[in-house]
Each structure stands twice: as C-alpha cells, then as structure tokens.
Amino acid sequence: MERRDEDLIVPLLELDPELKRCYQEHQEFEKQLSGFQHRYHLSSEEQIEMNRIQKLNLASKAKMMKIAEP
C-alpha cells in the first residue's frame, strides 16, 4: 500500500471496525504475497494461488479506500 493511502487510513482504523478488518486482511495478504515474491520459481499451483491473493488484496484495498473516502 502506498504511504499516502496508509496515512489516510490508519487514523480511521479505531473509528470503523469494518475498515480495521479490511486493513488487517490487506496486511495479511501483503505478507503472503511477500513470501511468494522471495521465491525463485513458483509451481503452477503457487502461481494460481499468488494471483488469487493479489486479486483479494486489490479488492480489500479498494474496499478500504471506499470506506475512507470523505
């Protein structure tokens, strides 16, 4: 997540439980993706899983940004 997006979202986490849940989910997806990115080669199954997590990650970020919009 870009720094400016995080600066917008973090102060609102305690005010909105749904935003907090999405943020935590997004952080977990980022961690999982980081694990894939440090691998030299991915099997077909791992590539499919990484793509699935990337889509979920983008969806969670979009939801956070929608919630955080003024």
Side-chain angles (χ1 to χ4, degrees):
M1 178 181 302
E2 292 181 27
R3 185 74 190 156
R4 65 181 174 84
D5 294 337
E6 199 159 352
D7 289 344
L8 172 69
I9 291 170
V10 170
L12 303 174
L13 292 178
E14 295 305 317
L15 302 174
D16 191 318
E18 179 67 10
L19 181 61
K20 186 174 185 175
R21 185 192 65 75
C22 288
Y23 181 78
Q24 291 169 336
E25 186 177 76
H26 181 75
Q27 295 297 94
E28 182 58 34
F29 291 144
E30 288 287 327
K31 231 188 283 184
Q32 291 174 8
L33 288 171
S34 177
F36 283 116
Q37 292 168 350
H38 288 94
R39 309 245 340 249
Y40 178 71
H41 176 75
L42 297 177
S43 69
S44 297
E45 294 83 15
E46 291 169 328
Q47 184 66 46
I48 291 169
E49 179 65 7
M50 186 178 89
N51 291 342
R52 184 184 76 80
I53 293 170
Q54 285 174 327
K55 288 177 185 177
L56 291 170
N57 193 30
L58 287 172
S60 70
K61 182 178 178 184
K63 189 170 186 178
M64 282 189 297
M65 297 310 292
K66 186 174 182 174
I67 292 170
E69 282 181 353

